[in-house]
Structure formats: structure tokens, C-alpha cells
Amino acid sequence: MRLDDTVGDSYDNAMAESADGAYETELVWRRKLFADLAELELATFRWVSWWNSKRRHQSLGYRTPEQIETEYYASRLTIKGEQKSGHSNSPPNTTVKPRS
């Protein structure tokens, strides 16, 4: 098997190429030249921070990763609170076990 024929595994770098293309298009080619390497590094850091936290993702229902993470942890706190108090919004278990 040739490495360039694989899809969906560690040899498939389509996602990385997509992110690299977006980086070049959105940051590098849309602005004036960078004064020095430090300016490029800072701009890259800011772009990556935006890409990983603020950018709306189609696969997340056009929500940001921060929104998804906030919702996840809020739901985990609700579940833990229900477990501690013994209360739940779920209906009680009404399954009857057969006698042996």
C-alpha cells in the first residue's frame, strides 16, 4: 500500500493542509509584509488562538469550541449536582425484576 493512498488515518494530512491553507490565506497573504520574525510569530499566535477557540465550526453546528466546552462542563456540573443531591430530572427507574 502506498502512503499517498490512505484516507482518514495518520498518513492522511488533508486536515493539516486545510489549516495551513487557511493560515496562509487569512493571515499571511491578506496583510502587508511583517517587519520581523517576532511580528510574524505574534500574529501567528493570535491567529492560532482564534482558530482554536473563537472560529465557528460547521461540524459544531456553527458554534465555537469555547461554546461547546462551556456547555460540556456546565452539563457535567449539573449531572454531578444531581448525583450529590439525589435528585434528577430523569424519570425514576420503574423496571421490575423478575423473581428467581
Side-chain angles (χ1 to χ4, degrees):
M1 180 196 299
R2 293 180 19 204
L3 293 180
D4 59 349
D5 288 339
T6 63
V7 176
D9 59 20
S10 61
Y11 298 110
D12 178 17
N13 64 355
M15 283 195 342
E17 288 179 6
S18 175
D20 286 348
Y23 167 76
E24 288 177 1
T25 301
E26 295 172 9
L27 179 70
V28 176
W29 303 120
R30 284 193 180 172
R31 59 168 281 165
K32 64 182 182 358
L33 293 176
F34 294 95
D36 56 19
L37 182 59
E39 186 181 3
L40 172 62
E41 288 175 342
L42 180 59
T44 299
F45 172 79
R46 288 179 175 155
W47 186 85
V48 169
S49 178
W50 167 81
W51 178 270
N52 288 333
S53 60
K54 306 278 188 207
R55 181 178 64 96
R56 293 175 189 236
H57 292 253
Q58 179 181 5
S59 63
L60 301 176
Y62 294 98
R63 294 178 292 169
T64 67
E66 284 182 347
Q67 289 172 317
I68 298 298
E69 186 175 29
T70 300
E71 291 170 14
Y72 171 79
Y73 285 113
S75 71
R76 299 294 298 159
L77 289 174
T78 302
I79 291 169
K80 286 185 178 186
E82 289 173 356
Q83 289 172 346
K84 280 187 176 180
S85 69
H87 296 92
S88 174
N89 292 332
S90 303
N93 184 357
T94 57
T95 306
V96 177
K97 294 183 182 178
R99 296 175 126 176
S100 308

